[in-house]
Amino acid sequence: MTIFGEGPRGNLAKTLIPRLGLNEGKTPITYLTGVKEVWEIPEGKKNLDEVIHTLGYPLPADTYGGGFIYPMADRRLTLGLLAGVNSPDPFFDTHEAFQRYKEHDFIKKLLEGGKLLEYGAKTVSISGYYSVPQLTFDGGMLIGDSGALFDSRRIKGVHLAMKSGMLAAEAAFSALLRGDATRETLAEYEERLKESYVWKDLRAARNFHQAFDRGRMTGMLNAAFGMVTGGKGLTEWRSGKADCEQMRKVADYHGKGAVSAPGSFDGALTFDKVTSVFHSGTIHEEDQPCHLHVEDRSICHGRCREEFGNPCVKFCPAGVYEMAEDEESGEERLRINFSNCVHCKTCDIRDPYGIITWVPPEGGGGPKYTML
Ligand code: SF4
């Protein structure tokens, strides 16, 4: 038996789910990209004493998301911003939006005189209930984010991942005792999951995020109705499109010939991507094959540049993708700084042509988070 718990957009689960038809009749699994920092507050300054969740700001109205600020022990504070991987804006950049988030007067005051300790980025699956694939099959089970188990109302999946792991372990134990790991036996996991608080949480959140795809006001109204209708809200919303299908072309969204403006960062409150990556502790052995597979780079240099303005340069929160002049030809070519990768998986999900595949790098490299 194999239990797949690879987090959001696991590269094994991503192949397995369609190959075994586990997603038949389900909506596509959709995601948010979250960026997060931990700060140290100067000595003598009062730390925050409550948890704050925010909605919208500074995201455009057509991009779902919000932020969070939590106090931590030892004069530390953590804050972050999550934004829909389905943003229609081809120039949308979650890292940069987060830097603007910190410029809000309230947050700026909280961080003033403080020091950035750690940075990280990760996707979370947000689609929930209607997108949960069949979780068992002959010889295997899906748990946690690999099975889209995430409560979108509370932006929280760790409790669901742990419970699903425990129930999968119990089903695996029964299967071992019976000497039978077929789906019939492992189905015990799925049945018990549906009787547990995991399913109750997912059901109560089933229409929460989907309604925001129809605009922020509709989403908020639906959230209020959801509280008194057990999660139904205004209606049963089902989102049928994958994130990568929702990006609009530059000409449609920004106007013909528009180019994205570079971000501005002061190095004290706001940081560029290279500085942020430094604070993630990311290390990869340089002498290894690139773990970001781009199927056909001629698309990057041709169609993608024309249609979407090479959005990977913007949407990667670690500055891995760069369009740089090639020394030999003098033409702009895609450069992949794979050693910067913080393993968030945004590129594997958001790329509008579906030609980027993230695979685990050799040698166990990656971000070294200690506080996130
Ligand atoms: Fe995330 Fe892809 Fe950038 Fe790595 S290369 S940090 S997985 S978007």
Side-chain angles (χ1 to χ4, degrees):
M1 273 170 290
T2 309
I3 299 177
F4 294 85
E6 303 173 274
R9 190 68 160 198
N11 87 304
L12 297 174
K14 167 189 159 180
T15 311
L16 199 66
I17 291 171
R19 187 177 293 177
L20 299 184
L22 305 177
N23 54 351
E24 264 169 37
K26 308 288 179 175
T27 60
I29 302 178
T30 58
Y31 301 84
L32 302 179
T33 297
V35 290
K36 185 174 173 183
E37 288 178 352
V38 177
W39 281 67
E40 187 180 65
I41 302 300
E43 220 161 321
K45 185 171 179 177
K46 193 176 174 298
N47 200 350
L48 191 71
D49 56 5
E50 59 188 341
V51 168
I52 298 176
H53 278 194
T54 63
L55 178 75
Y57 178 84
L59 304 173
D62 56 12
T63 299
Y64 174 72
F68 58 86
I69 315 169
Y70 299 163
M72 294 168 78
D74 304 327
R75 290 191 285 115
R76 287 176 185 165
L77 186 77
T78 183
L79 72 165
L81 183 76
L82 294 121
V85 178
N86 67 350
S87 172
D89 181 355
F91 296 160
F92 181 70
D93 180 335
T94 313
H95 172 276
E96 199 185 328
F98 177 54
Q99 304 309 311
R100 303 286 79 88
Y101 180 67
K102 289 186 289 177
E103 287 175 337
H104 188 284
D105 280 348
F106 176 78
I107 302 172
K108 198 155 81 181
K109 268 190 209 133
L110 280 177
L111 301 177
E112 223 155 50
K115 191 170 115 193
L116 172 63
L117 298 178
E118 204 160 287
Y119 167 83
K122 191 77 190 146
T123 45
V124 295
S125 56
I126 192 77
S127 44
Y129 187 76
Y130 290 119
S131 67
V132 175
Q134 180 185 308
L135 297 170
T136 52
F137 42 93
D138 288 343
M141 293 176 266
L142 299 170
I143 60 168
D145 271 279
S146 290
L149 305 178
F150 190 86
D151 182 344
S152 58
R153 288 172 314 164
R154 292 189 279 173
I155 325 174
K156 197 173 154 196
V158 94
H159 61 312
L160 307 183
M162 287 169 75
K163 184 68 180 172
S164 64
M166 287 155 71
L167 294 174
E170 286 167 17
F173 187 62
S174 303
L176 283 173
L177 291 181
R178 288 199 222 168
D180 172 18
T182 57
R183 180 170 184 236
E184 283 69 46
T185 306
L186 298 179
E188 174 192 323
Y189 157 58
E190 212 157 354
E191 283 156 21
R192 291 191 56 200
L193 191 89
K194 289 184 177 170
E195 288 159 10
S196 73
Y197 67 77
V198 174
W199 211 245
K200 212 169 126 205
D201 277 14
L202 288 178
R203 210 172 143 68
R206 67 191 184 279
N207 292 312
F208 179 85
H209 157 254
Q210 282 79 346
F212 281 92
D213 285 347
R214 278 87 182 169
R216 204 168 280 159
M217 289 315 292
T218 311
M220 287 171 70
L221 196 63
N222 181 69
F225 272 83
M227 290 175 88
V228 291
T229 55
K232 183 180 175 199
L234 297 170
T235 183
E236 297 290 347
W237 310 90
R238 283 179 183 239
S239 174
K241 278 192 180 171
D243 289 329
C244 62
E245 295 168 339
Q246 299 190 47
M247 189 187 292
R248 287 173 55 199
K249 293 183 179 160
V250 172
D252 294 344
Y253 194 90
H254 289 282
K256 205 163 183 267
V259 287
S260 62
S264 59
F265 314 100
D266 65 7
L269 177 71
T270 57
F271 304 94
D272 60 22
K273 288 181 181 174
V274 176
T275 311
S276 294
V277 171
F278 171 77
H279 284 95
S280 70
T282 298
I283 297 174
H284 291 91
E285 272 181 34
E286 297 279 346
D287 188 18
Q288 64 167 295
C290 174
H291 68 280
L292 297 147
H293 298 176
V294 178
E295 226 173 83
D296 181 356
R297 291 198 189 199
S298 69
I299 292 181
C300 312
H301 306 144
R303 274 178 69 198
C304 186
R305 181 170 24 207
E306 288 287 310
E307 295 178 341
F308 294 100
N310 297 120
C312 57
V313 176
K314 299 295 278 182
F315 65 60
C316 169
V320 168
Y321 301 98
E322 202 184 345
M323 294 305 287
E325 196 179 271
D326 179 63
E327 280 176 16
E328 277 178 25
S329 65
E331 285 175 22
E332 262 206 343
R333 289 283 176 259
L334 178 70
R335 183 186 293 163
I336 304 179
N337 306 305
F338 73 86
S339 56
N340 283 4
C341 177
V342 295
H343 300 190
C344 73
K345 317 278 183 73
T346 304
C347 53
D348 194 301
I349 304 163
R350 183 155 161 80
D351 158 32
Y353 300 98
I355 55 170
I356 302 179
T357 302
W358 182 98
V359 300
E362 282 182 10
K368 296 280 174 286
Y369 300 144
T370 59
M371 291 173 267
L372 288 176

